[in-house]
Short mmCIF file of all heavy atoms in Angstrom, two decimals:
data_model
loop_
_atom_site.label_atom_id
_atom_site.label_comp_id
_atom_site.label_asym_id
_atom_site.label_seq_id
_atom_site.Cartn_x
_atom_site.Cartn_y
_atom_site.Cartn_z
N GLN A 1 0.84 -1.19 0.00
CA GLN A 1 0.00 0.00 0.00
C GLN A 1 0.88 1.25 0.00
O GLN A 1 1.87 1.31 0.72
CB GLN A 1 -0.91 0.00 1.23
CG GLN A 1 -1.90 1.15 1.26
CD GLN A 1 -2.82 1.06 2.47
OE1 GLN A 1 -2.66 0.17 3.33
NE2 GLN A 1 -3.78 1.94 2.56
N VAL A 2 0.53 2.21 -0.83
CA VAL A 2 1.30 3.45 -0.94
C VAL A 2 0.40 4.62 -0.57
O VAL A 2 -0.76 4.66 -0.99
CB VAL A 2 1.85 3.64 -2.36
CG1 VAL A 2 2.73 4.88 -2.44
CG2 VAL A 2 2.64 2.41 -2.80
N GLN A 3 0.91 5.55 0.20
CA GLN A 3 0.16 6.76 0.56
C GLN A 3 0.90 7.98 0.03
O GLN A 3 2.11 7.95 -0.16
CB GLN A 3 -0.04 6.83 2.07
CG GLN A 3 -0.92 5.69 2.59
CD GLN A 3 -1.17 5.78 4.07
OE1 GLN A 3 -0.30 6.15 4.84
NE2 GLN A 3 -2.39 5.43 4.48
N PHE A 4 0.15 9.07 -0.16
CA PHE A 4 0.66 10.22 -0.91
C PHE A 4 0.44 11.54 -0.18
O PHE A 4 -0.61 11.75 0.42
CB PHE A 4 -0.04 10.29 -2.27
CG PHE A 4 -0.12 8.98 -2.96
CD1 PHE A 4 -1.29 8.24 -2.95
CD2 PHE A 4 1.00 8.44 -3.59
CE1 PHE A 4 -1.36 7.00 -3.55
CE2 PHE A 4 0.93 7.20 -4.19
CZ PHE A 4 -0.25 6.47 -4.18
N VAL A 5 1.45 12.44 -0.27
CA VAL A 5 1.33 13.79 0.25
C VAL A 5 1.73 14.76 -0.85
O VAL A 5 2.90 14.81 -1.25
CB VAL A 5 2.20 14.00 1.50
CG1 VAL A 5 2.07 15.44 1.99
CG2 VAL A 5 1.80 13.02 2.60
N GLU A 6 0.75 15.51 -1.34
CA GLU A 6 0.99 16.45 -2.43
C GLU A 6 1.31 17.84 -1.89
O GLU A 6 0.78 18.23 -0.85
CB GLU A 6 -0.24 16.53 -3.34
CG GLU A 6 -0.66 15.22 -3.97
CD GLU A 6 -1.68 14.44 -3.14
OE1 GLU A 6 -1.89 14.76 -1.95
OE2 GLU A 6 -2.28 13.50 -3.70
N SER A 7 2.13 18.59 -2.62
CA SER A 7 2.46 19.96 -2.24
C SER A 7 2.85 20.75 -3.48
O SER A 7 3.05 20.17 -4.56
CB SER A 7 3.60 19.97 -1.22
OG SER A 7 4.77 19.40 -1.79
N GLY A 8 2.96 22.06 -3.30
CA GLY A 8 3.45 22.92 -4.37
C GLY A 8 2.40 23.75 -5.08
O GLY A 8 2.73 24.56 -5.95
N GLY A 9 1.14 23.56 -4.72
CA GLY A 9 0.09 24.35 -5.35
C GLY A 9 0.10 25.79 -4.88
O GLY A 9 0.90 26.18 -4.02
N GLY A 10 -0.78 26.60 -5.46
CA GLY A 10 -0.88 27.99 -5.06
C GLY A 10 -1.68 28.79 -6.07
O GLY A 10 -2.31 28.23 -6.97
N LEU A 11 -1.64 30.10 -5.88
CA LEU A 11 -2.31 31.03 -6.77
C LEU A 11 -1.28 31.59 -7.75
O LEU A 11 -0.23 32.09 -7.32
CB LEU A 11 -2.95 32.16 -5.97
CG LEU A 11 -3.55 33.33 -6.76
CD1 LEU A 11 -4.71 32.84 -7.63
CD2 LEU A 11 -4.00 34.42 -5.82
N VAL A 12 -1.58 31.51 -9.02
CA VAL A 12 -0.66 31.98 -10.05
C VAL A 12 -1.44 32.67 -11.14
O VAL A 12 -2.60 32.32 -11.40
CB VAL A 12 0.19 30.80 -10.58
CG1 VAL A 12 -0.68 29.78 -11.27
CG2 VAL A 12 1.31 31.28 -11.48
N GLN A 13 -0.82 33.64 -11.78
CA GLN A 13 -1.48 34.34 -12.89
C GLN A 13 -1.41 33.49 -14.17
O GLN A 13 -0.51 32.64 -14.31
CB GLN A 13 -0.79 35.68 -13.14
CG GLN A 13 -0.98 36.68 -12.02
CD GLN A 13 -0.43 38.05 -12.37
OE1 GLN A 13 0.39 38.18 -13.28
NE2 GLN A 13 -0.87 39.06 -11.65
N PRO A 14 -2.34 33.70 -15.07
CA PRO A 14 -2.26 33.01 -16.37
C PRO A 14 -0.90 33.20 -17.02
O PRO A 14 -0.34 34.30 -16.99
CB PRO A 14 -3.37 33.67 -17.18
CG PRO A 14 -4.37 34.10 -16.16
CD PRO A 14 -3.55 34.53 -14.98
N GLY A 15 -0.37 32.11 -17.57
CA GLY A 15 0.97 32.15 -18.14
C GLY A 15 2.07 31.81 -17.17
O GLY A 15 3.23 31.63 -17.58
N GLY A 16 1.74 31.70 -15.90
CA GLY A 16 2.73 31.40 -14.88
C GLY A 16 3.06 29.91 -14.79
O GLY A 16 2.54 29.09 -15.55
N SER A 17 3.91 29.59 -13.81
CA SER A 17 4.38 28.22 -13.64
C SER A 17 4.30 27.80 -12.18
O SER A 17 4.38 28.63 -11.27
CB SER A 17 5.85 28.11 -14.10
OG SER A 17 6.00 28.41 -15.47
N LEU A 18 4.14 26.51 -11.98
CA LEU A 18 4.21 25.90 -10.67
C LEU A 18 4.86 24.53 -10.81
O LEU A 18 4.78 23.90 -11.87
CB LEU A 18 2.82 25.71 -10.06
CG LEU A 18 2.09 26.94 -9.52
CD1 LEU A 18 0.65 26.57 -9.14
CD2 LEU A 18 2.81 27.54 -8.32
N ARG A 19 5.47 24.08 -9.71
CA ARG A 19 6.01 22.72 -9.68
C ARG A 19 5.38 21.96 -8.52
O ARG A 19 5.56 22.36 -7.36
CB ARG A 19 7.53 22.72 -9.54
CG ARG A 19 8.16 21.34 -9.71
CD ARG A 19 9.61 21.35 -9.29
NE ARG A 19 10.31 20.13 -9.72
CZ ARG A 19 11.34 19.61 -9.07
NH1 ARG A 19 11.78 20.18 -7.96
NH2 ARG A 19 11.93 18.52 -9.53
N LEU A 20 4.66 20.92 -8.83
CA LEU A 20 4.03 20.10 -7.81
C LEU A 20 4.94 18.94 -7.43
O LEU A 20 5.68 18.42 -8.27
CB LEU A 20 2.70 19.55 -8.32
CG LEU A 20 1.68 20.56 -8.84
CD1 LEU A 20 0.37 19.85 -9.19
CD2 LEU A 20 1.44 21.66 -7.83
N SER A 21 4.86 18.55 -6.16
CA SER A 21 5.60 17.40 -5.66
C SER A 21 4.64 16.45 -4.98
O SER A 21 3.65 16.88 -4.38
CB SER A 21 6.68 17.83 -4.68
OG SER A 21 7.63 18.66 -5.29
N CYS A 22 4.96 15.18 -5.04
CA CYS A 22 4.16 14.16 -4.36
C CYS A 22 5.12 13.20 -3.68
O CYS A 22 5.86 12.48 -4.37
CB CYS A 22 3.27 13.44 -5.34
SG CYS A 22 2.47 11.97 -4.67
N ALA A 23 5.10 13.20 -2.37
CA ALA A 23 5.90 12.26 -1.60
C ALA A 23 5.07 11.02 -1.31
O ALA A 23 3.95 11.12 -0.79
CB ALA A 23 6.37 12.91 -0.30
N ALA A 24 5.61 9.89 -1.67
CA ALA A 24 4.90 8.62 -1.49
C ALA A 24 5.58 7.76 -0.45
O ALA A 24 6.82 7.69 -0.41
CB ALA A 24 4.81 7.88 -2.82
N SER A 25 4.79 7.12 0.38
CA SER A 25 5.34 6.18 1.35
C SER A 25 5.44 4.81 0.70
O SER A 25 4.88 4.57 -0.38
CB SER A 25 4.44 6.12 2.58
OG SER A 25 3.18 5.55 2.22
N GLY A 26 6.13 3.90 1.37
CA GLY A 26 6.19 2.54 0.82
C GLY A 26 7.52 2.24 0.18
O GLY A 26 8.03 3.03 -0.60
N SER A 27 8.06 1.08 0.50
CA SER A 27 9.40 0.73 0.04
C SER A 27 9.41 0.23 -1.39
O SER A 27 10.48 0.07 -1.97
CB SER A 27 9.99 -0.35 0.96
OG SER A 27 9.16 -1.50 0.96
N ILE A 28 8.23 -0.01 -1.97
CA ILE A 28 8.21 -0.55 -3.33
C ILE A 28 7.64 0.47 -4.31
O ILE A 28 7.09 0.13 -5.34
CB ILE A 28 7.43 -1.87 -3.42
CG1 ILE A 28 6.00 -1.69 -2.88
CG2 ILE A 28 8.16 -2.96 -2.67
CD1 ILE A 28 5.12 -2.92 -3.10
N PHE A 29 7.78 1.74 -3.98
CA PHE A 29 7.28 2.83 -4.81
C PHE A 29 7.76 2.69 -6.24
O PHE A 29 7.02 2.93 -7.19
CB PHE A 29 7.73 4.17 -4.23
CG PHE A 29 7.59 5.34 -5.17
CD1 PHE A 29 6.37 5.97 -5.30
CD2 PHE A 29 8.68 5.81 -5.89
CE1 PHE A 29 6.22 7.06 -6.16
CE2 PHE A 29 8.55 6.90 -6.74
CZ PHE A 29 7.32 7.52 -6.87
N SER A 30 9.01 2.29 -6.42
CA SER A 30 9.63 2.32 -7.74
C SER A 30 8.95 1.40 -8.75
O SER A 30 9.13 1.57 -9.95
CB SER A 30 11.11 1.96 -7.63
OG SER A 30 11.26 0.66 -7.13
N ILE A 31 8.18 0.42 -8.30
CA ILE A 31 7.58 -0.51 -9.25
C ILE A 31 6.26 -0.01 -9.80
O ILE A 31 5.74 -0.55 -10.76
CB ILE A 31 7.36 -1.90 -8.63
CG1 ILE A 31 6.19 -1.88 -7.63
CG2 ILE A 31 8.64 -2.42 -8.00
CD1 ILE A 31 5.77 -3.27 -7.18
N TYR A 32 5.72 1.06 -9.20
CA TYR A 32 4.39 1.53 -9.60
C TYR A 32 4.46 2.54 -10.74
O TYR A 32 5.29 3.46 -10.73
CB TYR A 32 3.68 2.21 -8.43
CG TYR A 32 3.26 1.28 -7.32
CD1 TYR A 32 3.93 1.28 -6.11
CD2 TYR A 32 2.18 0.42 -7.47
CE1 TYR A 32 3.53 0.44 -5.07
CE2 TYR A 32 1.79 -0.42 -6.45
CZ TYR A 32 2.47 -0.40 -5.25
OH TYR A 32 2.07 -1.24 -4.24
N ALA A 33 3.55 2.40 -11.69
CA ALA A 33 3.26 3.51 -12.58
C ALA A 33 2.50 4.55 -11.76
O ALA A 33 1.65 4.20 -10.94
CB ALA A 33 2.43 3.07 -13.77
#
């Protein structure tokens, strides 16, 4: 079982950029699409 914590969102103007991150728990994360 894998659990997720997302971050990086916010308010941005049209044309702007953001970078989202997702930290996943679980030792077998690498095998998942």
Side-chain angles (χ1 to χ4, degrees):
Q1 184 177 5
V2 184
Q3 295 182 322
F4 314 101
V5 178
E6 301 91 346
S7 62
L11 172 63
V12 64
Q13 292 187 341
S17 298
L18 285 172
R19 188 191 193 210
L20 305 185
S21 298
C22 170
S25 66
S27 59
I28 56 173
F29 165 82
S30 62
I31 72 170
Y32 290 107

